[in-house]
Amino acid sequence: MTTWTVLITGCNTGIGLEMARHCLSLDATLHFTCRSSDKVITTTRRLRADFPRARVEGHVLDLARDSDIQRLADELDDRGLPIDTLILNAGVHVPFGARETAEGVELHRQVNFLAPARLFVRLVGSGRLERVLYVSSQAHQRGALPAVFPLSFWARYARSKLLATTFFLAVRPLFPDVRI
């Protein structure tokens, strides 16, 4: 039997948690991320209760921090944990008010676009990455509309999704061996 290893960002609820369950039902080795250690512990317990023999490991990853992205990628490299499938599910939608990361980047842009792109770039260099799934929404279709108060948060969110969708479509020809 061939084993495959998947990394899912944003895995403690919703789509990410259901994708994790599906991958485990197919006997994948699962690495997943959540923003806090408490969420990692809770999600690990939940998944192991559902799949007692599963190979599951959680990692703390706050996509608003570039240092967290570098730390996770370095950890996977240092431990020799190549990822076959990368599911970029984590995202943020913060209504009513612009927020910036500690590095001064608008939060939607950082979490929904820059962080997934940076993680992809780090992991694709391993040579083993076969599949990438970026979970988006229909909001990218509104990304070119002007920001109008009081709904400018929608514009920031939509632009971040448009940037990410455009990025992942643009890199497809550069990595013909990776299904993106």
Side-chain angles (χ1 to χ4, degrees):
M1 170 181 271
T2 304
T3 59
W4 56 291
T5 303
V6 61
L7 171 62
I8 303 175
T9 64
C11 196
N12 57 302
T13 62
I15 293 170
L17 183 59
E18 292 309 312
M19 282 192 224
R21 286 184 172 127
H22 180 71
C23 290
L24 290 174
S25 75
L26 298 174
D27 202 33
T29 297
L30 174 67
H31 289 267
F32 71 89
T33 72
C34 299
R35 245 182 292 184
S36 72
S37 58
D38 288 343
K39 290 179 181 179
V40 167
I41 292 166
T42 301
T43 303
T44 301
R45 286 180 182 154
R46 182 182 300 162
L47 292 170
R48 286 198 174 134
D50 293 343
F51 300 91
R53 293 181 291 189
R55 296 171 307 278
V56 177
E57 185 173 348
H59 307 269
V60 175
L61 176 66
D62 184 346
L63 293 176
R65 296 185 177 128
D66 278 335
S67 60
D68 273 20
I69 299 161
Q70 296 305 319
R71 180 191 43 76
L72 176 61
D74 289 345
E75 178 185 342
L76 295 172
D77 284 345
D78 293 348
R79 292 178 52 201
L81 299 171
I83 302 299
D84 302 298
T85 302
L86 174 61
I87 300 175
L88 298 161
N89 174 64
V92 66
H93 182 209
V94 180
F96 306 111
R99 295 191 188 163
E100 291 186 350
T101 66
E103 290 91 4
V105 178
E106 195 278 321
L107 187 64
H108 292 97
R109 183 176 296 246
Q110 170 65 25
V111 172
N112 297 340
F113 164 52
L114 293 172
R118 288 177 178 140
L119 187 56
F120 164 77
V121 168
R122 280 294 307 270
L123 295 181
V124 77
S126 73
R128 183 161 170 197
L129 195 60
E130 295 176 6
R131 289 175 217 89
V132 177
L133 172 65
Y134 175 76
V135 179
S136 190
S137 68
Q138 295 295 319
H140 73 280
Q141 296 175 352
R142 306 274 189 241
L145 297 177
V148 178
F149 184 82
L151 298 178
S152 59
F153 69 90
W154 275 106
R156 288 188 294 274
Y157 174 74
R159 284 188 192 125
S160 70
K161 291 298 190 174
L162 177 61
L163 287 167
T165 300
T166 302
F167 171 81
F168 285 106
L169 289 173
V171 298
R172 287 172 70 182
L174 302 175
F175 302 97
D177 294 335
V178 181
R179 290 184 297 191
I180 301 173

